[in-house]
Amino acid sequence: QVQLEESGGGLVQAGGSLRLSCAASGRTLSRPAMGWFRQAPGKEREIVAAISWNGGITYYVDSVKGRFTISRDNAKSAVYLQMNSLKPEDTAVYYCAGSSRVLGRVVSAYDYWGQGTQVTVSS
């Protein structure tokens, strides 16, 4: 059983920064891609960023390009999302997820999920 635990969410003013962390434990997939998703009230869960096992391939949704950076530390079984220049529209619950694929861009590509951490950006 794989467990993912997100941390680092909170309330921040527009223009501010947050760094989300995701720690994996238990029996993880072999060489999983990892992704960050978010879900705002009344909206579908969407991909924010994803990273391949060795970090050589990354993907960002257009709305966060240039502001967010995904990274991972496989020695620590951790993945991070550095979020800069935050906007009110970034407000959502952010989820960490793991995939057996090289890189996943959709919800269905991911095999296990964390419980989420709330990010609220005030204007």
Side-chain angles (χ1 to χ4, degrees):
Q1 189 76 10
V2 178
Q3 290 86 38
L4 297 178
E5 184 173 1
E6 303 95 338
S7 60
L11 174 64
V12 64
Q13 288 188 331
S17 298
L18 284 174
R19 186 187 191 221
L20 304 184
S21 298
C22 173
S25 61
R27 189 172 181 178
T28 60
L29 295 170
S30 175
R31 300 177 176 264
M34 298 297 293
W36 285 98
F37 287 75
R38 65 186 178 188
Q39 187 166 18
K43 295 188 177 182
E44 293 186 354
R45 191 171 298 189
E46 65 170 354
I47 183 84
V48 175
I51 187 167
S52 61
W53 165 251
N54 64 1
I57 305 171
T58 57
Y59 168 81
Y60 297 93
V61 69
D62 285 347
S63 59
V64 308
K65 284 181 180 177
R67 300 189 298 124
F68 291 11
T69 303
I70 189 170
S71 61
R72 67 189 296 165
D73 184 340
N74 291 335
K76 296 181 179 179
S77 297
V79 63
Y80 309 99
L81 186 68
Q82 177 66 43
M83 306 187 295
N84 298 328
S85 302
L86 282 161
K87 304 176 181 180
E89 51 263 44
D90 294 318
T91 295
V93 177
Y94 283 70
Y95 298 90
C96 172
S99 172
S100 58
R101 302 188 182 192
V102 173
L103 191 75
R105 301 185 182 187
V106 295
V107 171
S108 59
Y110 286 79
D111 303 286
Y112 48 89
W113 295 81
Q115 294 299 306
T117 185
Q118 176 71 46
V119 171
T120 303
V121 184
S122 63
S123 57

